[in-house]
Amino acid sequence: MVRLQLLTRSEHDRVRVARGEPDLTLSLLADMCRLNALVAVKRAGSGHLGSTFSSLDVVAHLLFAELNVAELGFEHPGRDVFFSSKGHDVPGLYAALFGLGVIPEERLLRLRRLGGLDGHPDVGVPGIEANSGSLGMGISKGRGIAWAKRRGGQGGRVVVMTGDGELQEGQNWEALQAAAHDRLGGFWVVVDRNELQSDRPTEEILALRALESKLEAFGWDVASCDGHDHAALRSVFEGFREGAADGPKALVAHTVKGRGVSFMEHPAALAEGGGTYPWHAGAPGDDAFERASRELEDRIRAGFSALGLDPPLFEPVAGEATARGLEGEPESGAGTRRAVTDEYVVEAYGEALLELGAKDDRLVVLDADLASDCRIRAFELAYPERFLECGIAEQDMVSTAAGLARHGFLPVVNSFASFLASRANEQIYNQASEGTKVVYALHYAGLIPAGPGKSHQSLRDVSLLAALPGTTIVQPASAEETDALLRWAVEDADGNVALRLAIGPSPRRIELPEGYRAQVGRGNVLREGRDGVLLAYGPVLLHEALVAAEQLEDDGLGLRVVDMPWLNRFDAEWLAGEVAPFEHVFVLEDHAPVGALGDGLRRALDGRTVEVFGVEGWPACGTPEEALRFHGLDGASLADRIAARVGVRSST
Amino acid sequence: MVRLQLLTRSEHDRVRVARGEPDLTLSLLADMCRLNALVAVKRAGSGHLGSTFSSLDVVAHLLFAELNVAELGFEHPGRDVFFSSKGHDVPGLYAALFGLGVIPEERLLRLRRLGGLDGHPDVGVPGIEANSGSLGMGISKGRGIAWAKRRGGQGGRVVVMTGDGELQEGQNWEALQAAAHDRLGGFWVVVDRNELQSDRPTEEILALRALESKLEAFGWDVASCDGHDHAALRSVFEGFREGAADGPKALVAHTVKGRGVSFMEHPAALAEGGGTYPWHAGAPGDDAFERASRELEDRIRAGFSALGLDPPLFEPVAGEATARGLEGEPESGAGTRRAVTDEYVVEAYGEALLELGAKDDRLVVLDADLASDCRIRAFELAYPERFLECGIAEQDMVSTAAGLARHGFLPVVNSFASFLASRANEQIYNQASEGTKVVYALHYAGLIPAGPGKSHQSLRDVSLLAALPGTTIVQPASAEETDALLRWAVEDADGNVALRLAIGPSPRRIELPEGYRAQVGRGNVLREGRDGVLLAYGPVLLHEALVAAEQLEDDGLGLRVVDMPWLNRFDAEWLAGEVAPFEHVFVLEDHAPVGALGDGLRRALDGRTVEVFGVEGWPACGTPEEALRFHGLDGASLADRIAARVGVRSST
């Protein structure tokens, strides 16, 4: 088993007070942050190292040299405000904040854990200035903050980092034009131009072309430099400070994805990955971790020596390298699952899509730079002429699909549920209003994985589509059901279908009744019971429902468990028969308690009591166990909650 | 009373077959379309003449000369596809389609009426290729169609017109980069560069700067010319046809808003309006109509003469100039209301905002180019330093507000509900997740006015925000309640508030009980009754509820009517007391039947039957009477529906 060791805050202090050659010092601090970020990610079992490393020289330069926060602290109204719009590079920022003493060690080692550090930035964490992680909002927020600073007169600059792929998101261009129009001074944007987005080159996915010319055309003063060269960064920032006081300024920082660990660096790593970059997300395995940490440690030792300091002290981290049970994260690093089986609903989705594509050449698949996570890479390779890569631009993707659908194609549109149902909501409405049919695959729906945090957890998507006329919303519980529902959506449905999919592996195989076939509006009884009926959907919460039923059985209570994949369409007769024998009807939502299956059943059952267990409030960040337990939705909690209701009611 | 007269299709045919000098012919056809569009708008009582007229030379040039649709028709797979992304210029397109014989006369004269022509483009109308009206989606759709044409190999070009102000919407830049990346040939964009958006100059609202350079930086071949010069247009289109086969092409057509009617032309009209352009929306009064039509008729006569044709025959239109009761539309031309009082909730909103702004200098108002319609112009004039004009960029506006809120300000964010709650949905989620407070003013909520059609009618907004933790959604019924609820939102609420507002004048003053004050979660009894209780909200449907109650009283049934402005927050005790005496609880939604007050009450009342009347399916376009009747939500229909329920139930 690998040993983890990190550099404490005092080691950072030693480097900072040494006041050695500034560029050597900053390079060393950046590497120290790289090592600590690597340790935090390894321990979390997930994280985005590629762009953490590409951005870290800029982040270290800003926090340790350019900005006033080390001096003023993060509560001072005159502080410089820095945050990263892309957000998934936050392990580097956490490491820098740790180095400054803003974040304590126990919290750094609880990355992606309940009560620790969110997988994407959240203002609940000290030093974090903005929630980000869903792309493209940062420049707008920075504009608002710069406006507030100008109006308030407290001083301080605003510096927003963005990715380069992120600039495909249209909101950036709204914000760029607005900030230029406002002549906002003290507002800088730094583009981490590492030339890779997710796992492929930006120029391949959706070329940015001459980025500097674009930014200039939008009215910004633009500079560019090597984003790992501290002398060059210093010179650019000096120029910005001394430049026109009343206009926003952009730096295109040319960087290397994976910088600092030779085998993670672009372009070598891309070539080694056969055209896909392997270190965008996810924690490295033990071997890779050891190679990477050794390389960083060696360079850090050399840096200490070059500054004339005693050798660095690496502090061993207690406990396991990777928190228990956090294996098996999807390629996105989107999260993890406790018990792993080979039963991913999303794998079944990718396979069924491939088969349906072979049968019907009207079927076109659209992607917004999540092809690996959405399991549509196989379709892309098999039918490149019917695969549309839209880049990180969900709105454009949906309206493009609308155009395709009007002209004879059947588009299957893919993204994470939290982005697709929400950011492209009006475009979906507009498409639907044309009376065409599109299949929306809403990946990463629900509470789990909970490591990435609330920007990625989608607990509103059903409510966001529920009032759309003619749209059917379904969520399958198993590979078998995924296959059946996708086929129904493509071949039989006569309007839009939103297919909600869990992204992680399933904790257990949900076994459907023998002879199962998809029947509109009808669920599947997974387990019999006489004291109450619980309807749930998706592999994550059906597993918890079954755990609850198993526990209740030990307590002498029988809970009927029904897989109900139809979230807004019900067969009235079936439903009436299903609930008739029961005093207690429970619904378990992998969603907020508002706007999903429970509300629909209350409408359909007109006057029956329906008790809903859903994700109340903001979704918790943490391991699956932590998040489910936090919300009272793990099997044991559910059993207690159900027993309390059935018991109380039965005694009356 | 003014007389309306138009030019029939045969007059267009005479001009077309004459085969006179092409540029004279096209100018004449454009003027003929202007006259017919003017007549249609006058009769409808609403419409957007300014940009209809600026775009009409391009539209006429395309339809009568450049495109193949006059020849192939609108069903042919090889046809050239043309549509306008901004959509509100559709009266000109309707006029051209009428001139081509695609739209019959009786339908042209039923603009914005049920079964007539939608106020914004809808594919249900012959010749309309895409639903538009909510801005910024057109280039994406065109991209999809161009892709479909390339893949299908049927031939035909795709030409999308956009506004210039519309280009502030970020989705355009997503689409522009994507189409360039795809090297889509036969895909043209024409920007109607009339330099005014809504009622003020684009350069004032949010400067587009050097538009041509921007488009070039995004990889497009760009031309520009005078958009009223047919020789220049011909030359540009020839160049596009002969240019590179594999790349998209953009024309910046420099045009004059209001072109063709001297007193509507920019910049004279802008100067006359004291800095705001008066002809963006709404129908002209009788005098203005007569001056405009006389001017057009004179030029049309001269055109016929110049082509050596017999004088044109102007056909008188039967019936009233303006359909009955269609006076009093808001400046937006957003629609009309039957009976006009001086009781606009939105006027009260504007006044209260001004007073609150005087008391609290943290209050900042944000606008997305709808300042007149949203009644925030007075605030802008009084507190320009606390007014942020964001242009047509709702996502940027919301994230800007998020930044302001994090730094001590209280942002009040304004747009139409259908755009704000939907297009900026993910940005609202992100803002809320930071734990700050923002007031979202959702203007133009609900079914009425119904003239603009489904792009503008907002019947999903409550459902779109209902699952957002900590957000309170309210809709006031009167000026008094608007004032009270806005004060509560600004001064007392401890989280986000979404304030739904009707945009039109009220059909009656909704009188609140004496001593009224806003109490969280409690409604107001407007009328007593013993046979059932109906909860409704907003001035439009409370009026219908009261009409229904009055009618039911005549039939001997007593209906208690409650104004319930709290759409997702209920005082449990009050609510229980309110419904306890009644067997029948009815809810009337100015919303889809899913996701709003009815669902909330069912959750709160746990097991009680709640009967919901809402807007089922797609909202109808038409006059208020037509739309309400169509959905069975006018007072008379409601009375019948309620009587049927109460009668049936009472007899059991």
Side-chain angles (χ1 to χ4, degrees):
Chain A
M1 203 180 75
V2 295
R3 285 176 56 232
L4 306 185
Q5 49 182 18
L6 52 68
L7 291 153
T8 62
R9 181 192 173 184
S10 59
E11 294 301 286
H12 295 75
D13 286 345
R14 272 216 288 144
V15 173
R16 292 171 64 204
V17 300
R19 301 199 169 273
E21 202 282 306
D23 298 343
L24 277 184
T25 302
L26 287 167
S27 289
L28 174 59
L29 285 165
D31 273 339
M32 293 167 73
C33 291
R34 283 190 179 93
L35 180 66
N36 284 352
L38 175 70
V39 168
V41 167
K42 176 64 177 164
R43 194 171 165 84
S46 193
H48 295 76
L49 288 174
S51 57
T52 292
F53 286 178
S54 68
S55 66
L56 246 172
D57 282 296
V58 172
V59 170
H61 194 106
L62 287 168
L63 287 185
F64 291 108
E66 178 65 29
L67 306 182
N68 65 13
V69 283
E71 200 181 329
L72 298 186
F74 284 89
E75 299 299 323
H76 195 288
R79 73 184 181 276
D80 296 324
V81 169
F82 167 72
F83 62 93
S84 169
S85 179
K86 54 180 163 149
H88 54 256
D89 56 3
V90 75
L93 178 56
Y94 288 150
L97 291 169
F98 168 71
L100 285 172
V102 177
I103 289 177
E105 181 174 323
E106 60 274 19
R107 209 156 171 185
L108 182 69
L109 294 173
R110 287 186 62 79
L111 175 62
R112 295 181 175 236
R113 299 292 302 275
L114 191 67
L117 298 176
D118 295 71
H120 286 84
D122 189 281
V123 295
V125 173
I128 297 299
E129 297 278 12
N131 286 15
S132 60
S134 177
L135 301 175
M137 302 183 196
I139 305 179
S140 299
K141 283 195 184 184
R143 176 198 173 211
I145 298 170
W147 190 97
K149 282 188 171 292
R150 182 167 73 183
R151 167 98 192 122
Q154 305 108 328
R157 289 161 293 176
V158 181
V159 183
V160 177
M161 172 168 281
T162 76
D164 47 0
E166 181 182 15
L167 292 178
Q168 291 159 356
E169 201 70 77
Q171 187 181 349
N172 292 293
W173 304 95
E174 296 179 356
L176 288 162
Q177 75 191 342
H181 184 83
D182 290 348
R183 302 300 305 153
L184 282 172
F187 184 27
W188 304 353
V189 163
V190 181
V191 183
D192 179 21
R193 182 80 164 115
N194 63 27
E195 297 181 10
L196 291 180
Q197 58 187 106
S198 192
D199 50 12
R200 282 164 63 198
T202 303
E203 296 307 292
E204 223 174 77
I205 295 284
L206 192 47
L208 286 174
R209 312 173 69 93
L211 182 54
E212 284 85 348
S213 314
K214 283 185 174 178
L215 295 169
E216 278 162 10
F218 272 72
W220 284 56
D221 289 343
V222 182
S224 65
C225 75
D226 176 348
H228 304 298
D229 177 340
H230 289 277
L233 289 169
R234 175 174 298 108
S235 159
V236 167
F237 293 146
E238 268 175 25
F240 282 1
R241 269 185 265 118
E242 289 160 12
D246 70 342
K249 294 166 182 67
L251 165 62
V252 179
H254 293 275
T255 61
V256 174
K257 197 150 176 172
R259 171 73 172 207
V261 172
S262 54
F263 65 90
M264 293 184 179
E265 286 190 0
H266 177 60
L270 184 75
E272 205 178 317
T276 60
Y277 177 81
W279 305 103
H280 175 70
D286 289 352
D287 282 357
F289 173 80
E290 286 193 342
R291 285 167 61 205
S293 56
R294 199 173 317 123
E295 194 177 324
L296 286 166
E297 286 167 11
D298 288 350
R299 206 164 55 246
I300 290 163
R301 279 192 199 91
F304 271 72
S305 166
L307 288 174
L309 295 169
D310 287 342
L313 197 71
F314 296 99
E315 185 185 75
V317 172
E320 291 177 69
T322 299
R324 186 190 301 276
L326 288 175
E327 314 293 340
E329 76 275 8
E331 289 160 44
S332 63
T336 60
R337 198 65 191 97
R338 288 166 298 172
V340 182
T341 77
D342 55 1
E343 171 96 349
Y344 283 59
V345 299
V346 70
E347 298 284 3
Y349 166 79
E351 286 162 21
L353 198 58
L354 203 57
E355 286 173 32
L356 290 163
K359 284 164 63 179
D360 184 353
D361 68 3
R362 297 174 314 119
L363 196 153
V364 178
V365 173
L366 291 91
D367 174 43
D369 194 30
L370 289 168
S372 298
D373 288 337
C374 299
R375 301 301 194 278
I376 50 179
R377 188 77 84 205
F379 189 99
E380 179 184 10
L381 294 171
Y383 307 107
E385 74 289 357
R386 283 189 281 133
F387 182 88
L388 248 90
E389 178 54 71
C390 299
I392 306 169
E394 297 77 12
Q395 303 186 55
D396 179 53
M397 174 167 65
V398 168
S399 296
T400 296
L404 293 171
R406 280 272 303 160
H407 287 259
F409 289 90
L410 174 59
V412 181
V413 174
N414 295 268
S415 188
F416 287 176
S418 52
F419 313 149
L420 183 52
S422 186
R423 187 173 300 217
N425 191 280
E426 197 185 9
Q427 287 76 13
I428 295 174
Y429 173 82
N430 174 279
Q431 171 272 316
S433 79
E434 294 184 334
T436 55
K437 171 177 165 180
V438 171
V439 176
Y440 293 100
L442 305 172
H443 297 267
Y444 192 169
L447 181 66
I448 305 299
K454 54 179 81 73
S455 61
H456 284 56
Q457 291 160 292
S458 185
L459 297 158
R460 300 191 305 131
D461 51 289
V462 180
S463 70
L464 295 178
L465 300 175
L468 199 58
T471 294
T472 305
I473 309 168
V474 295
Q475 178 164 4
S478 69
E480 184 184 6
E481 195 168 42
T482 302
D483 183 89
L485 291 177
L486 180 62
R487 279 173 208 278
W488 174 83
V490 167
E491 296 181 340
D492 301 325
D494 52 9
N496 279 356
V497 178
L499 180 68
R500 272 191 124 214
L501 292 167
I503 200 169
S506 302
R508 79 164 83 186
R509 184 188 183 94
I510 304 293
E511 297 284 357
L512 301 182
E514 203 147 331
Y516 159 78
R517 61 191 177 86
Q519 291 177 277
V520 175
R522 295 186 173 211
N524 308 294
V525 178
L526 302 183
R527 187 187 168 99
E528 292 295 349
R530 289 170 34 184
D531 298 304
V533 60
L534 184 148
L535 296 100
Y537 46 93
V540 172
L541 286 189
L542 275 168
H543 168 67
E544 303 303 332
L546 291 168
V547 169
E550 286 150 12
Q551 180 171 321
L552 288 166
E553 187 174 45
D554 294 344
D555 301 341
L557 287 175
L559 182 69
R560 185 180 174 107
V561 177
V562 178
D563 160 39
M564 184 55 189
W566 305 90
L567 303 186
N568 69 336
R569 233 174 125 172
F570 313 117
D571 179 318
E573 194 185 338
W574 171 84
L575 183 61
E578 200 60 30
V579 303
F582 298 99
E583 185 186 344
H584 296 279
V585 177
F586 298 100
V587 171
L588 178 55
E589 307 269 18
D590 198 359
H591 192 277
V594 169
L597 179 61
D599 280 0
L601 290 178
R602 284 199 192 94
R603 278 193 299 273
L605 293 171
D606 191 22
R608 274 220 56 163
T609 295
V610 175
E611 300 185 57
V612 172
F613 306 115
V615 179
E616 304 268 355
W618 298 100
C621 174
T623 64
E625 289 92 340
E626 286 171 345
L628 289 164
R629 173 68 59 116
F630 179 87
H631 290 286
L633 299 177
D634 61 299
S637 300
L638 283 171
D640 291 347
R641 295 170 78 180
I642 290 168
R645 308 293 176 94
V646 175
V648 169
R649 297 266 172 137
S650 298
S651 68
T652 58
Chain B
M1 201 181 73
V2 295
R3 285 176 56 234
L4 306 185
Q5 48 182 19
L6 51 68
L7 291 153
T8 61
R9 182 193 171 183
S10 60
E11 295 300 287
H12 295 74
D13 286 345
R14 272 216 289 146
V15 173
R16 291 171 68 203
V17 298
R19 301 199 170 272
E21 202 281 308
D23 298 344
L24 276 184
T25 302
L26 287 167
S27 289
L28 174 58
L29 286 166
D31 273 338
M32 293 167 73
C33 291
R34 283 189 178 94
L35 179 67
N36 284 352
L38 176 70
V39 168
V41 166
K42 175 65 178 165
R43 194 170 167 85
S46 192
H48 295 76
L49 287 175
S51 59
T52 292
F53 287 179
S54 68
S55 65
L56 245 173
D57 282 296
V58 172
V59 171
H61 194 105
L62 288 168
L63 286 185
F64 290 109
E66 177 66 28
L67 305 181
N68 64 13
V69 282
E71 197 181 331
L72 298 186
F74 284 89
E75 299 298 322
H76 196 288
R79 73 185 182 277
D80 296 325
V81 169
F82 167 73
F83 63 93
S84 170
S85 178
K86 53 180 161 149
H88 55 255
D89 56 2
V90 75
L93 179 56
Y94 288 150
L97 292 169
F98 168 70
L100 285 172
V102 177
I103 288 177
E105 182 174 322
E106 61 274 19
R107 211 157 171 185
L108 183 69
L109 294 173
R110 288 186 61 80
L111 176 61
R112 294 181 173 234
R113 299 293 301 276
L114 192 66
L117 298 176
D118 294 70
H120 285 84
D122 189 280
V123 295
V125 173
I128 297 300
E129 297 277 10
N131 286 16
S132 60
S134 177
L135 301 175
M137 302 184 195
I139 305 179
S140 299
K141 282 195 184 185
R143 176 199 174 211
I145 298 170
W147 191 96
K149 282 189 171 291
R150 183 167 72 182
R151 168 98 191 120
Q154 304 107 326
R157 288 161 293 175
V158 181
V159 183
V160 177
M161 171 168 283
T162 75
D164 48 0
E166 180 182 15
L167 292 178
Q168 291 159 357
E169 201 70 78
Q171 186 181 349
N172 292 293
W173 303 96
E174 297 180 355
L176 287 162
Q177 75 190 344
H181 185 82
D182 289 350
R183 302 301 304 153
L184 281 172
F187 184 25
W188 304 353
V189 163
V190 181
V191 183
D192 179 22
R193 183 79 166 113
N194 63 27
E195 297 180 10
L196 292 180
Q197 55 187 106
S198 193
D199 49 12
R200 282 165 61 198
T202 303
E203 296 307 290
E204 222 174 76
I205 296 284
L206 192 46
L208 285 173
R209 311 174 70 92
L211 182 54
E212 285 85 347
S213 314
K214 282 185 174 177
L215 295 168
E216 278 163 8
F218 272 72
W220 284 58
D221 289 344
V222 183
S224 65
C225 75
D226 176 347
H228 304 299
D229 177 340
H230 289 277
L233 289 169
R234 175 174 299 107
S235 159
V236 167
F237 293 146
E238 268 175 25
F240 282 1
R241 270 186 266 119
E242 289 160 12
D246 70 342
K249 294 167 182 65
L251 165 62
V252 179
H254 293 276
T255 61
V256 174
K257 198 152 176 172
R259 170 73 174 210
V261 172
S262 54
F263 65 90
M264 293 185 179
E265 286 190 0
H266 176 59
L270 184 75
E272 203 178 318
T276 60
Y277 177 82
W279 305 102
H280 175 69
D286 288 352
D287 283 357
F289 173 79
E290 284 191 344
R291 285 168 62 204
S293 55
R294 199 173 317 123
E295 192 176 325
L296 287 166
E297 287 167 9
D298 288 349
R299 205 162 57 246
I300 290 164
R301 278 192 201 92
F304 272 72
S305 165
L307 288 175
L309 295 169
D310 288 341
L313 197 71
F314 296 98
E315 184 185 74
V317 172
E320 292 178 67
T322 299
R324 184 190 301 276
L326 288 175
E327 315 293 340
E329 75 276 8
E331 288 159 45
S332 63
T336 60
R337 197 65 191 98
R338 287 167 296 171
V340 181
T341 78
D342 55 2
E343 171 96 350
Y344 281 61
V345 299
V346 70
E347 297 285 3
Y349 166 79
E351 287 163 20
L353 199 57
L354 203 57
E355 286 174 30
L356 290 163
K359 284 164 64 178
D360 184 354
D361 68 3
R362 297 175 314 119
L363 196 152
V364 178
V365 173
L366 291 90
D367 174 43
D369 193 30
L370 289 169
S372 297
D373 288 337
C374 298
R375 301 301 195 276
I376 50 180
R377 188 76 84 204
F379 188 100
E380 179 183 11
L381 294 171
Y383 307 106
E385 75 287 358
R386 283 189 280 132
F387 182 87
L388 247 89
E389 178 53 72
C390 298
I392 307 169
E394 297 78 13
Q395 302 190 11
D396 179 53
M397 174 168 65
V398 169
S399 296
T400 296
L404 293 170
R406 279 272 303 160
H407 287 259
F409 290 90
L410 174 59
V412 181
V413 174
N414 295 269
S415 188
F416 287 176
S418 53
F419 312 148
L420 183 52
S422 186
R423 187 173 300 215
N425 191 280
E426 197 186 9
Q427 287 75 14
I428 294 174
Y429 173 83
N430 174 279
Q431 171 272 317
S433 79
E434 293 184 335
T436 56
K437 171 176 164 180
V438 171
V439 176
Y440 292 100
L442 305 172
H443 297 267
Y444 192 172
L447 181 66
I448 305 299
K454 54 179 82 74
S455 61
H456 284 58
Q457 292 160 291
S458 184
L459 298 157
R460 299 192 305 131
D461 51 289
V462 181
S463 70
L464 296 178
L465 300 175
L468 199 58
T471 293
T472 304
I473 308 168
V474 295
Q475 177 164 2
S478 69
E480 183 184 8
E481 195 168 41
T482 303
D483 183 90
L485 291 177
L486 180 62
R487 279 172 208 279
W488 174 82
V490 167
E491 296 180 342
D492 300 325
D494 54 8
N496 279 355
V497 178
L499 181 68
R500 272 191 124 213
L501 293 167
I503 200 169
S506 301
R508 80 165 81 187
R509 185 187 182 93
I510 304 294
E511 298 285 357
L512 300 182
E514 203 146 331
Y516 160 79
R517 61 191 178 85
Q519 291 177 279
V520 175
R522 293 186 175 212
N524 308 294
V525 178
L526 302 184
R527 186 186 170 97
E528 292 294 351
R530 288 170 34 183
D531 297 304
V533 59
L534 183 148
L535 297 100
Y537 47 92
V540 172
L541 285 189
L542 275 168
H543 168 68
E544 303 302 333
L546 291 168
V547 169
E550 286 149 13
Q551 180 172 322
L552 287 167
E553 187 173 45
D554 294 344
D555 302 340
L557 286 174
L559 182 69
R560 184 180 174 106
V561 177
V562 178
D563 160 40
M564 184 55 190
W566 305 90
L567 302 186
N568 69 337
R569 233 174 124 171
F570 313 117
D571 178 319
E573 193 184 339
W574 171 84
L575 183 61
E578 200 59 30
V579 303
F582 299 100
E583 185 186 344
H584 296 280
V585 178
F586 298 100
V587 171
L588 178 55
E589 307 270 18
D590 198 0
H591 192 277
V594 170
L597 180 61
D599 279 1
L601 291 178
R602 285 199 192 94
R603 277 193 299 273
L605 293 171
D606 191 21
R608 273 219 57 162
T609 295
V610 175
E611 299 186 58
V612 172
F613 305 116
V615 179
E616 304 268 355
W618 298 100
C621 174
T623 65
E625 289 91 341
E626 287 171 343
L628 289 164
R629 173 68 59 116
F630 179 86
H631 290 287
L633 298 177
D634 60 299
S637 300
L638 284 171
D640 292 346
R641 295 170 79 180
I642 290 168
R645 308 293 175 95
V646 175
V648 169
R649 297 266 172 137
S650 299
S651 69
T652 60

